[in-house]
Amino acid sequence: MNKSTMFRKVVGASTLTLATAIAATSVANAATWRYAHEEYDGDVQDVYAEHFKDYVEENSDHTIQIFEFGQLGESDDIMEQTQNGILQFVNQSPGFTGSLIPEAQIFFIPYLMPTDMETVVEFFRESEAINKMFPKLYSDAGLELLQMYPEGEMVVTLDEKATSPEGFQNKKIRVMTNPLLSATYEAFGATPTPLPWGEVYGALQTNMIDGQENPIFWIESGGLYEVSPNLIFTGHGWFTTAIMANQDFYEGLPEEDQQLVQEAADYAFDKIIDHIDGLAEESLEKIKEASDDVTVTKLNDEQIEAFRDRAPQVEETFIEMTGESGKELLEQFKEDLKEVQSN
């Protein structure tokens, strides 16, 4: 079964059965830890999870059981299961975590992040906002933040070409259930349309929506180019994700297991950075080879500036949503970026 078909697979009944079954198993002294993520076999989060699993299993007697997208439900489902202790680990984008931790929406302020991979990676390694401020925010929500990492530059697909905000005017663009991401596309002139990930392909196919945004590898992996063939590189941000542990579970581990988990997260981070290097270019070539209908538009500096001019209003919305803590985080974010870029 290809991944385009997987988009249309109904998983509700089996999801409930599987979640119920694993919930019935006591995890107090379990040697098997359960880890769910938001993507399919071979996608970036899955590759990260496999490296995490390899490190844990090679350096301990523990085992990791990985659940891909759909096996336990949508993103909201796996987060709820992690908070309830059914899952020990979850990999989820701030796009969804933002409803739980509003400050996590910072990654959806357009043109805040740089676009070149070397600077992005150094930022994730060195940023005080990510490595010191975010763990406290996640902790307040009952989650142990183990690692944040980038997956790839965001690319917009539409039903027709566009090079300006006017081309986005009134376009129904799918967004995650994230208020700030909605504010971004409103600023761009579009009509943000929240939809679960599993419904995106069908919604594009039936013209219920006009477009969506995702890293290029996911556009290729999910076959989205088949039903939304005009790819637009706006340079407005990178897709970011995070691996977290249930905090009660993590704090209940002996010190050597806590260290093992941290080392596994760091090991998988290094591996995933190697994995995504060149992945976007490879995925784009696969898309071009697979379809003659695809168009690729990379905005020039002048075209990008027309979108960038609308970013300040999204920053204002972010501060309105998050208050003083969000303002402090944004200031530190910018300071960290300035330092990385100066190097």
Side-chain angles (χ1 to χ4, degrees):
M1 181 185 298
N2 62 38
K3 290 177 181 175
S4 299
T5 304
M6 290 173 70
F7 270 95
R8 301 179 285 278
K9 183 179 179 183
V10 177
V11 297
S14 60
T15 293
L16 180 60
T17 301
L18 185 53
T20 302
I22 65 174
T25 304
S26 171
V27 300
N29 298 299
T32 298
W33 297 337
R34 294 182 284 269
Y35 180 139
H37 62 73
E38 303 171 306
E39 296 177 0
Y40 293 120
D41 180 44
D43 286 343
V44 172
Q45 289 185 20
D46 188 59
V47 172
Y48 182 98
E50 290 291 346
H51 285 303
F52 183 90
K53 170 185 171 75
D54 289 346
Y55 189 92
V56 168
E57 294 182 353
E58 288 173 9
N59 292 278
S60 74
D61 294 330
H62 301 304
T63 58
I64 301 286
Q65 185 178 12
I66 297 172
F67 297 92
E68 299 167 9
F69 172 79
Q71 291 182 318
L72 296 178
E74 293 271 356
S75 291
D76 290 345
D77 299 314
I78 60 176
M79 175 56 76
E80 182 179 351
Q81 291 161 29
T82 304
Q83 289 182 296
N84 290 336
I86 297 171
L87 296 169
Q88 284 72 56
F89 302 100
V90 64
N91 201 143
Q92 186 178 78
S93 156
F96 291 106
T97 313
S99 60
L100 182 67
I101 305 167
E103 292 88 349
Q105 297 178 92
I106 194 170
F107 293 100
F108 296 96
I109 296 175
Y111 301 102
L112 181 62
M113 293 286 292
T115 54
D116 66 289
M117 180 169 165
E118 184 177 351
T119 305
V120 168
V121 172
E122 185 178 353
F123 172 72
F124 275 86
R125 290 190 187 279
E126 304 296 333
S127 167
E128 182 174 334
I130 285 180
N131 296 300
K132 293 185 179 179
M133 297 177 76
F134 265 119
K136 174 63 168 62
L137 293 168
Y138 277 70
S139 177
D140 290 344
L143 298 163
E144 184 72 26
L145 178 62
L146 301 174
Q147 190 66 259
M148 281 187 156
Y149 61 93
E151 293 197 45
E153 181 183 349
M154 297 302 288
V155 179
V156 180
T157 70
L158 279 179
D159 57 344
E160 59 184 352
K161 295 181 182 179
T163 58
S164 69
E166 286 71 29
F168 279 52
Q169 195 68 36
N170 298 323
K171 291 291 186 184
K172 297 189 295 294
I173 296 183
R174 178 265 175 175
V175 295
M176 292 176 277
T177 51
N178 180 297
L180 198 74
L181 184 56
S182 293
T184 290
Y185 277 98
E186 286 172 356
F188 287 171
T191 301
T193 307
L195 272 181
W197 172 236
E199 298 177 17
V200 175
Y201 189 101
L204 289 166
Q205 191 174 39
T206 58
N207 300 316
M208 190 176 98
I209 55 175
D210 303 308
Q212 60 83 49
E213 67 158 28
N214 261 302
I216 193 69
F217 81 85
W218 219 353
I219 294 169
E220 186 271 323
S221 170
L224 297 180
Y225 63 90
E226 299 167 353
V227 288
S228 189
N230 299 292
L231 279 57
I232 305 165
F233 287 73
T234 55
H236 71 275
W238 272 64
F239 190 84
T240 297
T241 192
I243 173 177
M244 298 150 270
N246 173 285
Q247 194 170 56
D248 289 340
F249 156 77
Y250 180 84
E251 291 180 349
L253 292 174
E255 186 176 342
E256 61 268 26
D257 277 349
Q258 289 185 3
Q259 183 175 346
L260 170 73
V261 166
Q262 292 289 347
E263 289 173 353
D266 293 342
Y267 171 82
F269 178 91
D270 290 337
K271 290 292 185 181
I272 209 62
I273 295 306
D274 289 340
H275 177 75
I276 65 173
D277 189 11
L279 180 63
E281 293 79 6
E282 179 184 330
S283 298
L284 183 57
E285 285 306 309
K286 288 181 180 179
I287 289 173
K288 289 179 179 178
E289 291 173 7
S291 174
D292 293 331
D293 296 328
V294 166
T295 69
V296 179
T297 302
K298 296 191 176 184
L299 303 189
N300 60 36
D301 290 344
E302 182 179 352
Q303 292 166 337
I304 285 175
E305 201 59 36
F307 286 92
R308 191 194 302 273
D309 285 345
R310 302 182 178 215
Q313 61 184 284
V314 184
E315 285 195 16
E316 291 175 9
T317 302
F318 174 74
I319 292 172
E320 289 171 4
M321 289 178 176
T322 59
E324 191 60 32
S325 66
K327 183 178 180 182
E328 291 175 6
L329 181 68
L330 180 58
E331 290 172 354
Q332 187 62 54
F333 220 84
K334 289 182 175 181
E335 186 63 32
D336 294 341
L337 284 166
K338 183 178 178 182
E339 186 166 338
V340 166
Q341 289 167 328
S342 70
N343 294 333

Short mmCIF file of all heavy atoms in Angstrom, two decimals, residues 24-65:
data_model
loop_
_atom_site.label_atom_id
_atom_site.label_comp_id
_atom_site.label_asym_id
_atom_site.label_seq_id
_atom_site.Cartn_x
_atom_site.Cartn_y
_atom_site.Cartn_z
N ALA A 24 -3.89 -1.19 29.22
CA ALA A 24 -4.16 -2.18 30.25
C ALA A 24 -2.89 -2.80 30.81
O ALA A 24 -2.91 -3.50 31.81
CB ALA A 24 -5.05 -3.29 29.67
N THR A 25 -1.75 -2.51 30.16
CA THR A 25 -0.49 -3.09 30.60
C THR A 25 0.19 -2.16 31.58
O THR A 25 0.39 -0.99 31.30
CB THR A 25 0.44 -3.31 29.39
OG1 THR A 25 -0.25 -4.13 28.45
CG2 THR A 25 1.73 -4.00 29.82
N SER A 26 0.56 -2.65 32.74
CA SER A 26 1.26 -1.81 33.72
C SER A 26 2.63 -1.44 33.21
O SER A 26 3.34 -2.25 32.64
CB SER A 26 1.42 -2.59 35.04
OG SER A 26 2.27 -1.88 35.92
N VAL A 27 3.02 -0.15 33.38
CA VAL A 27 4.32 0.29 32.92
C VAL A 27 5.26 0.59 34.08
O VAL A 27 6.36 1.09 33.88
CB VAL A 27 4.19 1.57 32.03
CG1 VAL A 27 3.33 1.27 30.83
CG2 VAL A 27 3.63 2.73 32.84
N ALA A 28 4.84 0.30 35.28
CA ALA A 28 5.64 0.69 36.45
C ALA A 28 7.05 0.14 36.37
O ALA A 28 8.02 0.84 36.67
CB ALA A 28 4.94 0.21 37.72
N ASN A 29 7.18 -1.14 35.99
CA ASN A 29 8.50 -1.74 35.92
C ASN A 29 8.76 -2.34 34.54
O ASN A 29 9.52 -3.30 34.40
CB ASN A 29 8.65 -2.82 37.00
CG ASN A 29 8.49 -2.24 38.40
OD1 ASN A 29 9.28 -1.39 38.80
ND2 ASN A 29 7.48 -2.69 39.13
N ALA A 30 8.12 -1.78 33.52
CA ALA A 30 8.19 -2.37 32.19
C ALA A 30 9.57 -2.20 31.59
O ALA A 30 10.21 -1.17 31.75
CB ALA A 30 7.15 -1.72 31.28
N ALA A 31 10.04 -3.24 30.91
CA ALA A 31 11.29 -3.18 30.17
C ALA A 31 11.04 -2.68 28.76
O ALA A 31 11.97 -2.34 28.05
CB ALA A 31 11.95 -4.56 30.14
N THR A 32 9.76 -2.65 28.34
CA THR A 32 9.41 -2.15 27.01
C THR A 32 8.79 -0.78 27.14
O THR A 32 7.80 -0.59 27.85
CB THR A 32 8.42 -3.11 26.31
OG1 THR A 32 9.04 -4.39 26.14
CG2 THR A 32 8.03 -2.56 24.95
N TRP A 33 9.39 0.20 26.45
CA TRP A 33 8.89 1.57 26.45
C TRP A 33 8.21 1.87 25.12
O TRP A 33 8.72 1.47 24.06
CB TRP A 33 10.03 2.56 26.69
CG TRP A 33 10.70 2.41 28.02
CD1 TRP A 33 10.17 1.86 29.15
CD2 TRP A 33 12.03 2.83 28.36
NE1 TRP A 33 11.08 1.91 30.18
CE2 TRP A 33 12.23 2.51 29.73
CE3 TRP A 33 13.06 3.45 27.67
CZ2 TRP A 33 13.43 2.78 30.39
CZ3 TRP A 33 14.25 3.72 28.33
CH2 TRP A 33 14.43 3.39 29.68
N ARG A 34 7.11 2.59 25.16
CA ARG A 34 6.33 2.85 23.97
C ARG A 34 6.52 4.29 23.49
O ARG A 34 6.48 5.23 24.28
CB ARG A 34 4.86 2.54 24.25
CG ARG A 34 4.62 1.05 24.50
CD ARG A 34 3.16 0.74 24.75
NE ARG A 34 2.74 1.13 26.09
CZ ARG A 34 2.79 0.32 27.15
NH1 ARG A 34 3.25 -0.90 27.03
NH2 ARG A 34 2.37 0.73 28.33
N TYR A 35 6.67 4.44 22.19
CA TYR A 35 7.08 5.69 21.57
C TYR A 35 6.23 5.89 20.32
O TYR A 35 6.25 5.07 19.41
CB TYR A 35 8.56 5.57 21.22
CG TYR A 35 9.26 6.74 20.55
CD1 TYR A 35 10.55 7.08 20.94
CD2 TYR A 35 8.69 7.47 19.51
CE1 TYR A 35 11.25 8.12 20.33
CE2 TYR A 35 9.37 8.51 18.90
CZ TYR A 35 10.64 8.82 19.31
OH TYR A 35 11.32 9.85 18.69
N ALA A 36 5.46 6.98 20.26
CA ALA A 36 4.63 7.27 19.09
C ALA A 36 5.07 8.56 18.43
O ALA A 36 5.52 9.50 19.09
CB ALA A 36 3.16 7.38 19.50
N HIS A 37 4.93 8.61 17.11
CA HIS A 37 5.25 9.84 16.38
C HIS A 37 4.19 10.12 15.33
O HIS A 37 3.21 9.37 15.20
CB HIS A 37 6.66 9.76 15.76
CG HIS A 37 6.85 8.66 14.76
ND1 HIS A 37 6.31 8.70 13.50
CD2 HIS A 37 7.53 7.48 14.83
CE1 HIS A 37 6.65 7.62 12.82
NE2 HIS A 37 7.38 6.85 13.61
N GLU A 38 4.37 11.21 14.56
CA GLU A 38 3.31 11.73 13.69
C GLU A 38 3.50 11.38 12.22
O GLU A 38 2.74 11.88 11.38
CB GLU A 38 3.29 13.26 13.77
CG GLU A 38 3.09 13.83 15.15
CD GLU A 38 3.30 15.34 15.17
OE1 GLU A 38 4.37 15.82 14.72
OE2 GLU A 38 2.39 16.03 15.62
N GLU A 39 4.48 10.58 11.89
CA GLU A 39 4.80 10.38 10.49
C GLU A 39 4.78 8.89 10.11
O GLU A 39 4.52 8.03 10.95
CB GLU A 39 6.15 11.03 10.16
CG GLU A 39 6.11 12.54 10.36
CD GLU A 39 7.43 13.24 10.13
OE1 GLU A 39 8.44 12.58 9.81
OE2 GLU A 39 7.45 14.48 10.28
N TYR A 40 5.07 8.63 8.83
CA TYR A 40 5.01 7.27 8.30
C TYR A 40 6.39 6.61 8.31
O TYR A 40 7.41 7.26 8.53
CB TYR A 40 4.45 7.27 6.88
CG TYR A 40 3.01 7.69 6.78
CD1 TYR A 40 2.63 8.81 6.04
CD2 TYR A 40 2.01 6.96 7.42
CE1 TYR A 40 1.30 9.19 5.94
CE2 TYR A 40 0.68 7.33 7.34
CZ TYR A 40 0.33 8.45 6.59
OH TYR A 40 -0.99 8.83 6.51
N ASP A 41 6.39 5.34 8.00
CA ASP A 41 7.62 4.55 7.91
C ASP A 41 8.61 5.22 6.96
O ASP A 41 8.28 5.51 5.81
CB ASP A 41 7.26 3.15 7.39
CG ASP A 41 8.49 2.26 7.27
OD1 ASP A 41 9.32 2.26 8.19
OD2 ASP A 41 8.61 1.56 6.24
N GLY A 42 9.82 5.48 7.45
CA GLY A 42 10.86 6.08 6.62
C GLY A 42 10.89 7.59 6.61
O GLY A 42 11.84 8.18 6.10
N ASP A 43 9.85 8.25 7.16
CA ASP A 43 9.88 9.71 7.25
C ASP A 43 10.81 10.14 8.38
O ASP A 43 11.30 9.33 9.16
CB ASP A 43 8.46 10.25 7.50
CG ASP A 43 7.59 10.17 6.25
OD1 ASP A 43 8.13 10.02 5.15
OD2 ASP A 43 6.34 10.25 6.39
N VAL A 44 11.05 11.44 8.48
CA VAL A 44 12.09 11.95 9.38
C VAL A 44 11.86 11.55 10.83
O VAL A 44 12.77 11.08 11.51
CB VAL A 44 12.23 13.49 9.24
CG1 VAL A 44 13.16 14.05 10.31
CG2 VAL A 44 12.76 13.84 7.85
N GLN A 45 10.65 11.74 11.34
CA GLN A 45 10.38 11.38 12.73
C GLN A 45 10.56 9.87 12.96
O GLN A 45 11.02 9.45 14.03
CB GLN A 45 8.97 11.80 13.15
CG GLN A 45 8.82 13.31 13.29
CD GLN A 45 7.44 13.71 13.82
OE1 GLN A 45 6.73 12.89 14.42
NE2 GLN A 45 7.06 14.95 13.60
N ASP A 46 10.23 9.09 11.96
CA ASP A 46 10.40 7.64 12.09
C ASP A 46 11.87 7.27 12.11
O ASP A 46 12.29 6.40 12.88
CB ASP A 46 9.69 6.93 10.93
CG ASP A 46 9.68 5.42 11.11
OD1 ASP A 46 9.14 4.94 12.12
OD2 ASP A 46 10.23 4.71 10.24
N VAL A 47 12.67 7.93 11.29
CA VAL A 47 14.12 7.68 11.28
C VAL A 47 14.72 8.07 12.63
O VAL A 47 15.56 7.34 13.19
CB VAL A 47 14.80 8.45 10.13
CG1 VAL A 47 16.32 8.34 10.22
CG2 VAL A 47 14.31 7.91 8.78
N TYR A 48 14.30 9.21 13.16
CA TYR A 48 14.78 9.63 14.48
C TYR A 48 14.42 8.58 15.53
O TYR A 48 15.26 8.17 16.35
CB TYR A 48 14.16 10.98 14.87
CG TYR A 48 14.65 11.51 16.20
CD1 TYR A 48 15.68 12.44 16.27
CD2 TYR A 48 14.09 11.05 17.40
CE1 TYR A 48 16.14 12.91 17.49
CE2 TYR A 48 14.55 11.51 18.62
CZ TYR A 48 15.57 12.44 18.67
OH TYR A 48 16.03 12.88 19.89
N ALA A 49 13.17 8.12 15.50
CA ALA A 49 12.71 7.14 16.48
C ALA A 49 13.51 5.85 16.40
O ALA A 49 13.85 5.25 17.43
CB ALA A 49 11.22 6.85 16.26
N GLU A 50 13.84 5.42 15.20
CA GLU A 50 14.60 4.19 15.03
C GLU A 50 16.02 4.33 15.60
O GLU A 50 16.55 3.40 16.20
CB GLU A 50 14.66 3.80 13.55
CG GLU A 50 13.33 3.32 12.97
CD GLU A 50 12.88 1.97 13.53
OE1 GLU A 50 13.71 1.27 14.16
OE2 GLU A 50 11.70 1.62 13.34
N HIS A 51 16.62 5.49 15.41
CA HIS A 51 17.96 5.73 15.99
C HIS A 51 17.89 5.78 17.51
O HIS A 51 18.78 5.26 18.20
CB HIS A 51 18.57 7.02 15.44
CG HIS A 51 19.07 6.90 14.03
ND1 HIS A 51 20.01 5.96 13.65
CD2 HIS A 51 18.76 7.60 12.91
CE1 HIS A 51 20.27 6.09 12.36
NE2 HIS A 51 19.52 7.08 11.88
N PHE A 52 16.84 6.40 18.03
CA PHE A 52 16.63 6.44 19.48
C PHE A 52 16.49 5.02 20.01
O PHE A 52 17.11 4.63 21.01
CB PHE A 52 15.37 7.25 19.77
CG PHE A 52 15.06 7.45 21.23
CD1 PHE A 52 15.56 8.53 21.94
CD2 PHE A 52 14.24 6.54 21.91
CE1 PHE A 52 15.26 8.72 23.29
CE2 PHE A 52 13.94 6.70 23.25
CZ PHE A 52 14.45 7.80 23.94
N LYS A 53 15.68 4.23 19.35
CA LYS A 53 15.46 2.83 19.73
C LYS A 53 16.77 2.04 19.69
O LYS A 53 17.08 1.30 20.63
CB LYS A 53 14.44 2.22 18.76
CG LYS A 53 14.26 0.71 18.85
CD LYS A 53 13.31 0.23 17.74
CE LYS A 53 13.26 -1.28 17.64
NZ LYS A 53 12.48 -1.89 18.75
N ASP A 54 17.54 2.22 18.61
CA ASP A 54 18.80 1.48 18.47
C ASP A 54 19.74 1.78 19.63
O ASP A 54 20.37 0.87 20.19
CB ASP A 54 19.49 1.85 17.15
CG ASP A 54 18.77 1.27 15.94
OD1 ASP A 54 17.91 0.38 16.13
OD2 ASP A 54 19.05 1.72 14.82
N TYR A 55 19.83 3.07 19.99
CA TYR A 55 20.76 3.43 21.07
C TYR A 55 20.32 2.82 22.40
O TYR A 55 21.14 2.27 23.14
CB TYR A 55 20.85 4.95 21.21
CG TYR A 55 21.96 5.38 22.15
CD1 TYR A 55 23.24 5.66 21.67
CD2 TYR A 55 21.74 5.48 23.53
CE1 TYR A 55 24.27 6.03 22.52
CE2 TYR A 55 22.76 5.84 24.39
CZ TYR A 55 24.02 6.11 23.89
OH TYR A 55 25.05 6.46 24.75
N VAL A 56 19.03 2.93 22.70
CA VAL A 56 18.52 2.38 23.96
C VAL A 56 18.75 0.88 24.03
O VAL A 56 19.24 0.34 25.04
CB VAL A 56 17.02 2.71 24.12
CG1 VAL A 56 16.41 1.90 25.27
CG2 VAL A 56 16.81 4.20 24.38
N GLU A 57 18.43 0.18 22.95
CA GLU A 57 18.51 -1.28 22.98
C GLU A 57 19.94 -1.80 22.93
O GLU A 57 20.22 -2.88 23.46
CB GLU A 57 17.67 -1.84 21.82
CG GLU A 57 16.18 -1.56 22.00
CD GLU A 57 15.30 -2.14 20.91
OE1 GLU A 57 15.86 -2.68 19.92
OE2 GLU A 57 14.06 -2.09 21.05
N GLU A 58 20.84 -1.02 22.34
CA GLU A 58 22.25 -1.43 22.30
C GLU A 58 22.97 -1.14 23.61
O GLU A 58 24.03 -1.72 23.88
CB GLU A 58 22.97 -0.73 21.15
CG GLU A 58 22.56 -1.25 19.77
CD GLU A 58 23.16 -0.43 18.65
OE1 GLU A 58 24.03 0.43 18.94
OE2 GLU A 58 22.76 -0.65 17.48
N ASN A 59 22.40 -0.26 24.42
CA ASN A 59 23.09 0.16 25.64
C ASN A 59 22.32 -0.18 26.92
O ASN A 59 22.65 0.33 27.99
CB ASN A 59 23.36 1.66 25.59
CG ASN A 59 24.39 2.03 24.54
OD1 ASN A 59 25.59 1.92 24.77
ND2 ASN A 59 23.91 2.45 23.37
N SER A 60 21.31 -1.05 26.80
CA SER A 60 20.54 -1.44 27.98
C SER A 60 19.76 -2.71 27.65
O SER A 60 19.80 -3.21 26.53
CB SER A 60 19.57 -0.33 28.38
OG SER A 60 18.48 -0.27 27.48
N ASP A 61 19.02 -3.19 28.64
CA ASP A 61 18.14 -4.34 28.43
C ASP A 61 16.73 -3.91 28.03
O ASP A 61 15.86 -4.76 27.80
CB ASP A 61 18.05 -5.19 29.72
CG ASP A 61 19.38 -5.85 30.07
OD1 ASP A 61 20.15 -6.15 29.12
OD2 ASP A 61 19.64 -6.06 31.27
N HIS A 62 16.50 -2.62 27.94
CA HIS A 62 15.18 -2.12 27.59
C HIS A 62 14.91 -2.26 26.09
O HIS A 62 15.84 -2.33 25.29
CB HIS A 62 15.04 -0.65 27.98
CG HIS A 62 15.25 -0.39 29.44
ND1 HIS A 62 14.52 -1.02 30.42
CD2 HIS A 62 16.11 0.45 30.09
CE1 HIS A 62 14.92 -0.59 31.61
NE2 HIS A 62 15.88 0.29 31.43
N THR A 63 13.66 -2.28 25.74
CA THR A 63 13.27 -2.27 24.34
C THR A 63 12.31 -1.11 24.09
O THR A 63 11.64 -0.63 25.01
CB THR A 63 12.57 -3.59 23.93
OG1 THR A 63 11.42 -3.79 24.76
CG2 THR A 63 13.51 -4.76 24.06
N ILE A 64 12.27 -0.65 22.84
CA ILE A 64 11.39 0.44 22.44
C ILE A 64 10.41 -0.08 21.40
O ILE A 64 10.80 -0.70 20.41
CB ILE A 64 12.19 1.62 21.83
CG1 ILE A 64 13.21 2.17 22.83
CG2 ILE A 64 11.24 2.71 21.34
CD1 ILE A 64 12.63 2.99 23.94
N GLN A 65 9.12 0.17 21.62
CA GLN A 65 8.08 -0.18 20.65
C GLN A 65 7.61 1.11 19.99
O GLN A 65 7.13 2.03 20.66
CB GLN A 65 6.92 -0.88 21.34
CG GLN A 65 5.84 -1.40 20.41
CD GLN A 65 4.73 -2.13 21.14
OE1 GLN A 65 4.65 -2.06 22.37
NE2 GLN A 65 3.87 -2.82 20.41
#
